[in-house]
Amino acid sequence: MKNKRTILTILLSFLAGGVLTFGGLFLYLRPFMVQNHDDRQNLAKIATVYRQIDHNYYRKVSGDKLTTGAINGMLGTLGDPFSDYLSGSDATSLNNTIAGSFSGVGIQVAKHGEYIQIMSTIKGTPAQKAGLKAGDKIAAVNHKSLKNKPISDAVDQMRGKNGTEVSLTIVRGNNTFEQKLKRAKIPVTTVNSKMIKDTKVGYISISTVSQNTAAELKDSLKELQKDGAKSLVIDVRNNPGGLMDQALKMSSMFLKNGKTIMQVQSRGSDPEVFKASEKLDGGYKVKIPTAVLINGESASAAEIFAAALHQSADIPLVGSQSYGKGTVQNMADYGSGSELKLTIARWLTPDGSWINKKGITPTYKADYPKMAYLPPFSEHEYKKGAINNEIKNYGVALHDLGYLDAQPTSEYNDKLVKAVSNFQKQNSLSQTGNIDHKTTAKIEASVIKELAKKDPALNKATKIMEEK
């Protein structure tokens, strides 16, 4: 799973497949009790150690804890970041993402000072029907304060079983009130589309690849063509991937039947080739010029899609090198809300290339400035003489915003003091030359505002499509 949080996105990558059911330690091991002598010996050792700890350790240890530790220990020896044992909220979160829906109240939130603030409400959800608004602050959930709590705490508390009730303490201006909501199924839209202003180019953004993504994509494609789109830009930047079967269906819409989409190779086997077909796309084909946007946050199923269109339909890729996740995982249900996500194969592009840890090279390079990929700033305050990596990040932001004319370094030197002071002057802040909370907030807001003004990759792709 890709774990890289940036100003642009928080990444989550997965591929899912078959389901198995297991229960206690012996049942975990029994399906693998083959006749191989070494296997039997190794598994017997694990069972023996488990029994020794369970019966003889000086204090009682939870069997679940021992089992989880054994599983995580085995997975740790693989050196594979995409093989993982998930339980509780981690497993629930992954399943919600795969399903493209979750049970909750239907709001998007962000950290705002000490509390959590509503960014928007999703149409038709309990929050929207109750009249909650962007800008409302959530002070507590079920009377448990969210003061100085991370967003994940708020999200975990607001989500829950469909039909159950949750109470939010809302601060709106000078008023504080309780709002009770009944949780409901909240659909997650993964595909959004629009016509690019003053052009006949249709734009489609795919945020992740879940159970409904192929159907959403087909609907968006049909709608754009009704609106007069003569060409398309498909944006899978910051798309962490998702379900392989959906990537196959999506790709098939853009390829002639019989063209290769991808290959999957498991241990000791020849690659299995997947090809475009009416069975995958239902006979729907896109026949207008198309370009695909990728970047370093495009991974997994997003890379399957991009590589298939590029290599099997000669569709140009615009942006920057993709992430490079060339492995396939499946999910095994271990019961009690726990699951094993295990890498079972590697996938290859149509021409047989393995892009793992390499990524896909775009046909045309175009990307946001470096400040787009900075992590969120901390709440630390800095002044001249401070040295750490975050100082360099401030330098990158101020350089790209036009305030620092030198290469950013990890040292808070005179040049950075001058840049900060100039930024503060231009933004009506006290000209201290020090980085305080207000300066940090203003820098982040300025970065977001500047990035919203221009999109080099989209502009490049749009120009290419207009010339088709």
Side-chain angles (χ1 to χ4, degrees), residues 74 84 127 151 158 170 237 254 272 297 301 308 345 370 390 456:
M74 286 187 284
D84 200 7
I151 290 177
M158 286 187 286
I170 302 296
R237 291 175 299 176
F254 295 83
E272 180 182 2
E297 307 297 316
K370 291 181 180 179
E390 189 167 49

Side-chain angles (χ1 to χ4, degrees), residues 355-372:
I355 58 108
N356 201 55
K357 298 182 180 180
K358 301 174 186 175
I360 304 167
T361 302
T363 316
Y364 302 95
K365 292 186 177 181
D367 197 9
Y368 283 106
K370 291 181 180 179
M371 65 181 179

Side-chain angles (χ1 to χ4, degrees), residues 6-316:
T6 68
I7 286 178
L8 289 181
T9 188
I10 296 175
L11 301 171
L12 174 68
S13 177
F14 57 88
L15 287 171
V19 174
L20 302 172
T21 302
F22 300 84
L25 180 69
F26 180 69
L27 292 181
Y28 287 152
L29 303 178
R30 190 170 63 181
F32 305 102
M33 291 290 188
V34 294
Q35 297 305 311
N36 182 284
H37 175 72
D38 288 341
D39 286 348
R40 291 200 305 272
Q41 271 198 328
N42 290 334
L43 293 171
K45 286 179 183 178
I46 296 172
T48 298
V49 172
Y50 178 90
R51 287 195 298 269
Q52 286 286 336
I53 295 172
D54 186 45
H55 295 311
N56 301 324
Y57 189 60
Y58 81 99
R59 58 184 175 84
K60 182 66 177 174
V61 181
S62 163
D64 288 341
K65 190 173 183 179
L66 288 175
T67 302
T68 299
I71 294 171
N72 286 333
M74 286 187 284
L75 291 173
T77 66
L78 302 178
D80 179 6
F82 305 110
S83 292
D84 200 7
Y85 181 64
L86 306 172
S87 60
S89 61
D90 289 335
T92 300
S93 178
L94 177 58
N95 290 329
N96 286 339
T97 308
I98 292 172
S101 65
F102 60 90
S103 180
V105 297
I107 57 177
Q108 295 176 317
V109 295
K111 186 74 174 174
H112 186 84
E114 296 179 333
Y115 295 107
I116 306 299
Q117 187 176 60
I118 297 176
M119 295 174 61
S120 64
T121 59
I122 300 171
K123 186 178 180 181
T125 62
Q128 192 262 340
K129 291 176 181 177
L132 297 186
K133 301 177 180 179
D136 287 348
K137 293 178 183 177
I138 306 174
V141 177
N142 289 331
H143 307 292
K144 293 182 180 179
S145 175
L146 293 179
K147 185 176 181 180
N148 294 321
K149 298 291 185 180
I151 290 177
S152 58
D153 281 13
V155 172
D156 287 345
Q157 291 179 48
M158 286 187 286
R159 291 185 181 181
K161 189 175 180 181
N162 198 24
T164 58
E165 195 172 77
V166 61
S167 177
L168 306 185
T169 303
I170 302 296
V171 178
R172 180 180 295 169
N174 295 322
N175 299 317
T176 299
F177 59 93
E178 295 292 318
Q179 180 67 61
K180 290 185 177 180
L181 303 170
K182 187 172 286 187
R183 296 182 179 100
K185 186 175 181 180
I186 311 298
V188 178
T189 300
T190 62
V191 179
N192 289 286
S193 63
K194 65 179 181 180
M195 290 295 295
I196 296 176
K197 188 176 180 180
D198 299 326
T199 74
K200 291 188 179 296
V201 180
Y203 170 81
I204 295 177
S205 172
I206 307 174
S207 60
T208 188
V209 184
S210 63
Q211 285 181 356
N212 301 317
T213 301
E216 290 179 32
L217 176 60
K218 185 179 290 188
D219 289 343
S220 292
L221 288 166
K222 290 179 178 179
E223 191 66 32
L224 285 175
Q225 289 188 285
K226 285 181 182 178
D227 291 341
K230 300 300 181 184
S231 59
L232 298 165
V233 174
I234 312 291
D235 192 347
V236 293
R237 291 175 299 176
N238 306 311
N239 183 321
L243 300 176
M244 192 180 86
D245 70 316
Q246 294 294 302
L248 292 172
K249 292 177 181 179
M250 292 158 57
S251 301
S252 187
M253 298 179 203
F254 295 83
L255 308 185
K256 293 180 180 179
N257 289 341
K259 286 287 187 178
T260 299
I261 298 173
M262 67 180 296
Q263 305 177 51
V264 175
Q265 186 175 29
S266 56
R267 186 174 67 186
S269 302
D270 292 331
E272 180 182 2
V273 180
F274 293 84
K275 298 183 177 182
S277 66
E278 185 174 347
K279 183 178 180 181
L280 286 173
D281 56 44
Y284 178 78
K285 297 291 185 181
V286 177
K287 298 179 180 179
I288 58 178
T290 301
V292 176
L293 303 181
I294 60 172
N295 68 0
E297 307 297 316
S298 304
S300 183
E303 292 177 296
I304 292 173
F305 177 75
L309 271 59
H310 179 56
Q311 293 184 6
S312 292
D314 200 28
I315 285 173

